[in-house]
Amino acid sequence: MTSFPRAFYVANTLEIFERLAWYGFFTLSSLYMTSPVHQGGLGFSDAERGFLQGMIPFLLYLFPVITGALADRYGYRRMFWISFIILCPGYYLLGQARDFWWFFFAFLAVAVGAACFKPVVVGTVSRSTHAGNRGLGFGIFYTMVNLGGFIGPFVAGYLRAISWDWVFIASSCWIALNMLILAVFFKEPVSNADATHEDSRSLQQVLAECQQVLGNGRLALLVLPCLIALMLWGKGSLNAIQFWSCVALWLLLNGFWSRLCRQSSHPQPWYKQPVRVGDKRFVTYLLILAGFWTVYNQLFFTLPLYIRDYVDTTDLVQWLNAVHPQLAAFLAPVNLVQLTEYLQQAGNMDVASWQDQLVNFKVAVPEAISAAAHQRLSAGDIDASALALQWQQAFRQINPEYIINLDFGAIILFQIFVSRAATRFASMPVIIAGTGLLTLACLLGGILHASVMGGFVACAWVLVWAAGEMLASPKSQEYVAAISPPHQCALYMGYYFISMAVGMLFAGLLSGWSYQWFARDLHQPQWMWVFFAAIGLLSSLALAIYNRKLPQRISLPASC
């Protein structure tokens, strides 16, 4: 540990607090965006939620391609300041925005700030390590990532019981603390001669390398309008017929355009070139891997809503009450004032609508009991405050974010052991196994719904997700080194995150669509999990076919 310079420890500390800010909000984002306005939420539809959760993280994982090059050119300290100056008010404004588009722009600002931070903190760790300790250094760094991800939702979950506003104030405060640390302790790291991530590429060079790896400008022009149309469809601004008509017309126009461009034998500007894919093997791998990230991110996008709306965690609360009542009160808080006020409105609402909203107050009341209570409250035969206290004691529920947080806890405790065991196997079979575990997790959700699904089962369910991530995520990055051309490992690793960006995009859009269709309209949420299991299965099969059919480099490049 003493072999690391001060910049290494400062970077890890900055990472912890930045992750506290991000996951303190992001793990609760589905709940916040869909909670009723009278409870401090935004009251967005699932389509609007899915659009935001898909598009903004998609951009967040794309921007570092550019912000990383800017950091190498203008200095890490300066980019840290830019990041925090954007993030600190950005998080606060997220909690103040009530209109969809104001929230969208505040969320976009957070994404830009995070995109400035992400490559700089990784670059600082790289510059602060050398060949002899880089493995240990990045191991410590990724532990700090998950430590921040583990603590953040606990703090935010406690604060949202007071007010949603405090969740965003806390995120801003974590970033403000980072600004203080940056001002006092951070010094521009001196690059090591052997630092594999060191470069001084200009933005023009970055774009040229992007064409080499991914494809030319015409490919970007082909794909981007299709993605924009997909986002608009996901938000509900386009219907299915309009979406597919626009995409089909655009593909036909580009096909005709490329055909005309091939007739020229002289060098042409980018817009007169035919569509060209860069490294087809690598691009294919990224697209298939996006299926893994699409399924995995349902842990954050869909599962919190499903636990809130459909999982009765009373068994877990009762066990916690027997073991440690104070812990049960922390993990399953109920705001008695808000619940009492809502119960008093029973006479103004029909019983079905009134029952549907009870889950937002963190109580899971059996339908027969809530229907009888609605009748008595409407007639004035029972005191609302007394009933609220009774339901708090009998039907309180664990916050969904605390159950989701088991994923981070499992990674902190077991990732090293899982990675050590996985070293005996080739990368691709492990990636397929991890994707298969995510498929199994989704399938279990479909099978166990409305049968044995409860608090303990939900916890075990999340641990299956975590096992899939621990297998596939590290190996998916290791595999990039195995298929990268010699001496271009760092370049290819920089574009690995595009698979996460595309996966985030589809995860958000499909989460919004599937939850609205299967859970809310059809009242059959088990088929939503079967749908995501099908995506996981197709991704596993595609990875297996890819590994079997396409020739691979099996030796690690020296530059890695």
Side-chain angles (χ1 to χ4, degrees), residues 89-107:
Y91 277 118
Y92 178 76
L93 292 173
L94 269 180
Q96 302 304 306
R98 290 293 179 264
D99 175 78
F100 175 84
W101 288 110
W102 280 114
F103 186 84
F104 169 85
F105 286 116
F107 200 1

Side-chain angles (χ1 to χ4, degrees), residues 23-136:
Y23 281 112
F25 155 69
F26 192 68
T27 308
L28 282 68
S29 61
S30 290
L31 301 172
Y32 176 67
M33 285 189 270
T34 58
S35 291
V37 174
H38 62 78
Q39 276 192 280
L42 296 176
F44 289 167
S45 68
D46 284 297
E48 291 172 326
R49 170 188 64 81
F51 171 81
L52 290 167
Q53 289 181 322
M55 182 175 182
I56 301 301
F58 169 72
L59 296 175
L60 190 159
Y61 280 98
L62 284 184
F63 287 159
V65 174
I66 296 175
T67 57
L70 293 175
D72 284 320
R73 186 166 185 173
Y74 297 109
Y76 284 14
R77 183 184 180 88
R78 185 174 296 176
M79 288 300 292
F80 271 135
W81 276 117
I82 292 173
S83 169
F84 297 153
I85 289 171
I86 296 173
L87 284 173
C88 191
Y91 277 118
Y92 178 76
L93 292 173
L94 269 180
Q96 302 304 306
R98 290 293 179 264
D99 175 78
F100 175 84
W101 288 110
W102 280 114
F103 186 84
F104 169 85
F105 286 116
F107 200 1
L108 181 61
V110 170
V112 172
C116 291
F117 176 84
K118 191 179 290 290
V120 180
V121 72
V122 173
T124 301
V125 173
S126 178
R127 288 187 174 188
S128 304
T129 56
H130 53 75
N133 64 5
R134 186 162 294 123
L136 175 61

Side-chain angles (χ1 to χ4, degrees), residues 46-318:
D46 284 297
E48 291 172 326
R49 170 188 64 81
F51 171 81
L52 290 167
Q53 289 181 322
M55 182 175 182
I56 301 301
F58 169 72
L59 296 175
L60 190 159
Y61 280 98
L62 284 184
F63 287 159
V65 174
I66 296 175
T67 57
L70 293 175
D72 284 320
R73 186 166 185 173
Y74 297 109
Y76 284 14
R77 183 184 180 88
R78 185 174 296 176
M79 288 300 292
F80 271 135
W81 276 117
I82 292 173
S83 169
F84 297 153
I85 289 171
I86 296 173
L87 284 173
C88 191
Y91 277 118
Y92 178 76
L93 292 173
L94 269 180
Q96 302 304 306
R98 290 293 179 264
D99 175 78
F100 175 84
W101 288 110
W102 280 114
F103 186 84
F104 169 85
F105 286 116
F107 200 1
L108 181 61
V110 170
V112 172
C116 291
F117 176 84
K118 191 179 290 290
V120 180
V121 72
V122 173
T124 301
V125 173
S126 178
R127 288 187 174 188
S128 304
T129 56
H130 53 75
N133 64 5
R134 186 162 294 123
L136 175 61
F138 274 95
I140 294 171
F141 173 73
Y142 287 117
T143 301
M144 298 303 104
V145 171
N146 286 288
L147 183 62
F150 181 72
I151 298 173
F154 275 113
V155 176
Y158 173 78
L159 292 174
R160 83 166 170 115
I162 303 171
S163 169
W164 276 110
D165 289 341
W166 281 103
V167 173
F168 300 97
I169 292 172
S171 291
S172 293
C173 288
W174 295 130
I175 300 301
L177 184 57
N178 264 355
M179 296 173 80
L180 178 63
I181 295 171
L182 179 66
V184 176
F185 298 106
F186 185 81
K187 292 183 178 179
E188 195 78 19
V190 178
S191 62
N192 295 310
D194 65 338
T196 59
H197 296 280
E198 166 69 15
D199 69 60
S200 56
R201 297 172 297 165
S202 66
L203 185 58
Q204 185 176 3
Q205 288 174 310
V206 170
L207 296 176
E209 290 173 347
C210 183
Q211 293 188 50
Q212 173 192 343
V213 177
L214 301 178
N216 62 359
R218 277 293 316 284
L219 178 65
L221 186 61
L222 171 67
V223 172
L224 287 178
C226 295
L227 291 178
I228 293 172
L230 179 64
M231 295 173 191
L232 293 174
W233 181 29
K235 185 182 179 296
S237 301
L238 295 177
N239 60 38
I241 295 177
Q242 291 171 329
F243 167 72
W244 288 111
S245 299
C246 291
V247 170
L249 179 61
W250 184 243
L251 293 177
L252 286 172
L253 286 174
N254 274 272
F256 180 70
W257 189 352
S258 292
R259 190 178 184 87
L260 291 177
C261 292
R262 288 193 183 97
Q263 297 176 2
S264 175
S265 58
H266 302 289
Q268 298 291 333
W270 71 271
Y271 56 88
K272 290 186 178 181
Q273 298 173 8
V275 173
R276 180 183 61 80
V277 179
D279 188 329
K280 296 182 178 61
R281 178 185 59 237
F282 182 60
V283 172
T284 301
Y285 172 68
L286 294 182
L287 291 176
I288 298 174
L289 193 63
F292 165 83
W293 293 113
T294 298
V295 178
Y296 168 72
N297 280 296
Q298 302 314 312
L299 179 70
F300 301 105
F301 295 167
T302 305
L303 192 54
L305 298 177
Y306 177 79
I307 292 174
R308 181 194 67 184
D309 295 342
Y310 293 101
V311 178
D312 185 353
T313 61
T314 303
D315 59 334
L316 189 53
V317 175
Q318 291 174 344

